[in-house]
Amino acid sequence: MFSTLIALIITSAIFNNIILSQFLGICPFLGVSKSIETASGMGLAVLFVMVMANIITHFVQILLVKAGVGYLQTLAFILVIASLVQMVEIILKKIAPALYKSLGIFLPLITTNCAVLGAALIAVKKNYSLLESTVYAAATAIGFIIAIVLFAGLRENMKYSQVPEAMQGLPIALITTGIMSLAFMGFAGFKLPF
């Protein structure tokens, strides 16, 4: 069981990176990655929400199946994620105003982050247990953090590079994303020794 969880962590974070291999969560990846500070803040917010969303949606899925309305899965998951983000935002505003201010716009942005919904749907599709689903969500969010922080570092360095005028901004960001994606896809087919 332990080796299965380790394999799940490595596979979810690196081999099947939610952004660079599965192409989910591209909007915050391109929009919030202009500095390492904002990218890491978004990554940590995604980590918290993704883990909590996967735990809650695990139980919601069980209820939907028992009620015979499994076809409402996507709608129910979207409502759970939006409600969870709102609840976390309200609680943080009351309990930890400093943390709330430091997260700033990151919490509302997570509501529209398709990586959170995608991770919940993938965990259900693969029929993960609660433990596996939680580990998968945490590892996927760590992969999100790795990708967005690496990309933010590259974008910060590109400010000092001589990029042709026509390629500045989003064009060079998309090309860099493609190259990073190719690098991460190099792990495809890699077999873990355990």
Side-chain angles (χ1 to χ4, degrees), residues 1 3 162:
M1 180 68 173
S3 63
Q162 293 181 349

Side-chain angles (χ1 to χ4, degrees), residues 154-163:
L154 290 171
R155 285 186 84 173
E156 282 186 355
N157 285 334
M158 278 190 268
K159 290 178 189 174
Y160 307 109
S161 300
Q162 293 181 349
V163 178

Side-chain angles (χ1 to χ4, degrees), residues 141-160:
I142 289 168
F144 182 92
I145 293 169
I146 290 169
I148 199 167
V149 169
L150 283 174
F151 187 62
L154 290 171
R155 285 186 84 173
E156 282 186 355
N157 285 334
M158 278 190 268
K159 290 178 189 174
Y160 307 109

Side-chain angles (χ1 to χ4, degrees), residues 9 51 64 69 111-112 183:
I9 291 168
V51 170
L64 290 173
V69 289
T111 305
T112 60

Side-chain angles (χ1 to χ4, degrees), residues 12 16-30 42 46 50 112-123 136 140-141 143-145 147-148 177 181 185:
S12 302
N16 294 327
N17 187 284
I18 195 87
I19 295 175
L20 299 173
S21 294
Q22 298 180 28
F23 308 110
L24 294 173
I26 296 293
C27 295
F29 179 72
L30 292 173
M42 179 65 164
V46 165
M50 193 176 287
T112 60
N113 188 343
C114 59
V116 177
L117 177 62
L121 291 172
I122 290 168
Y136 171 75
T140 300
F144 182 92
I145 293 169
I148 199 167
T177 301
S181 180
M185 286 186 175

Side-chain angles (χ1 to χ4, degrees), residues 58-151:
H58 180 80
F59 294 112
V60 168
Q61 178 65 21
I62 293 170
L63 293 174
L64 290 173
V65 169
K66 285 187 179 182
V69 289
Y71 55 87
L72 294 176
Q73 176 189 61
T74 304
L75 179 63
F77 285 12
I78 290 170
L79 291 173
V80 165
I81 292 167
S83 302
L84 178 65
V85 170
Q86 288 297 333
M87 184 181 68
V88 168
E89 193 171 0
I90 291 168
I91 291 170
L92 281 179
K93 195 173 188 178
K94 294 275 186 191
I95 294 175
L99 179 61
Y100 174 76
K101 283 186 179 181
S102 69
L103 288 175
I105 195 163
F106 301 130
L107 277 175
L109 280 176
I110 294 171
T111 305
T112 60
N113 188 343
C114 59
V116 177
L117 177 62
L121 291 172
I122 290 168
V124 167
K125 182 181 176 185
K126 292 188 177 186
N127 204 18
Y128 286 149
S129 67
L130 180 60
L131 175 64
E132 290 170 329
S133 180
T134 305
V135 168
Y136 171 75
T140 300
I142 289 168
F144 182 92
I145 293 169
I146 290 169
I148 199 167
V149 169
L150 283 174
F151 187 62

